[in-house]
Amino acid sequence: QVQLVESGGGLVQPGDSLRLSCAASGRSFRSYPMAWFRQAPGKEREFVSGINFTGSSTYYADSVKGRFTISRDNAKATVYLQMNSLKPEDTAVYYCAASHAWIAGKKKDEYDYWGQGTQVTVSS
């Protein structure tokens, strides 16, 4: 199985940037599609960004397109989420997820492994 640990969250002002990391352990990370989800207070967990097992294909929620970038370094078994031009509405707990399948999309039930989350707060 895969264990996922997120890091890099914090308190920032609108317009600032953060880079989240998700470190994987337990087995080879190369074959797992990965994604970032987030959950804001009083809201359901929502898809943010996904990346295929090689890193050659990425996709994003409309709300973060042009501002966030997902990437992965399989040699380090780590997935990143670079978040630029942060807005207050980006405030949420951000979760890393991995799928046991070869292909996964943006639904929560397509992912088999989850981290415990890292808090991102965007406030003036």
Side-chain angles (χ1 to χ4, degrees), residues 2 7-8 13 16 22 30 34 36 45 57 65 76 88 98-99 101 110:
V2 173
S7 63
Q13 299 182 62
D16 284 354
C22 173
R30 195 173 193 89
M34 300 287 297
W36 288 94
R45 191 172 300 186
S57 181
K65 285 182 179 178
K76 297 180 179 180
S99 175
E110 297 181 71

Side-chain angles (χ1 to χ4, degrees), residues 45-96:
R45 191 172 300 186
E46 65 176 357
F47 172 82
V48 176
S49 183
I51 189 167
N52 74 343
F53 68 98
T54 66
S56 62
S57 181
T58 60
Y59 46 103
Y60 301 89
D62 288 342
S63 59
V64 305
K65 285 182 179 178
R67 299 189 297 120
F68 291 11
T69 303
I70 190 171
S71 62
R72 68 191 300 162
D73 185 340
N74 287 340
K76 297 180 179 180
T78 301
V79 170
Y80 305 96
L81 185 68
Q82 178 67 46
M83 305 186 295
N84 298 327
S85 301
L86 283 162
K87 305 175 180 179
E89 51 263 45
D90 295 318
T91 295
V93 176
Y94 283 71
Y95 297 90
C96 178

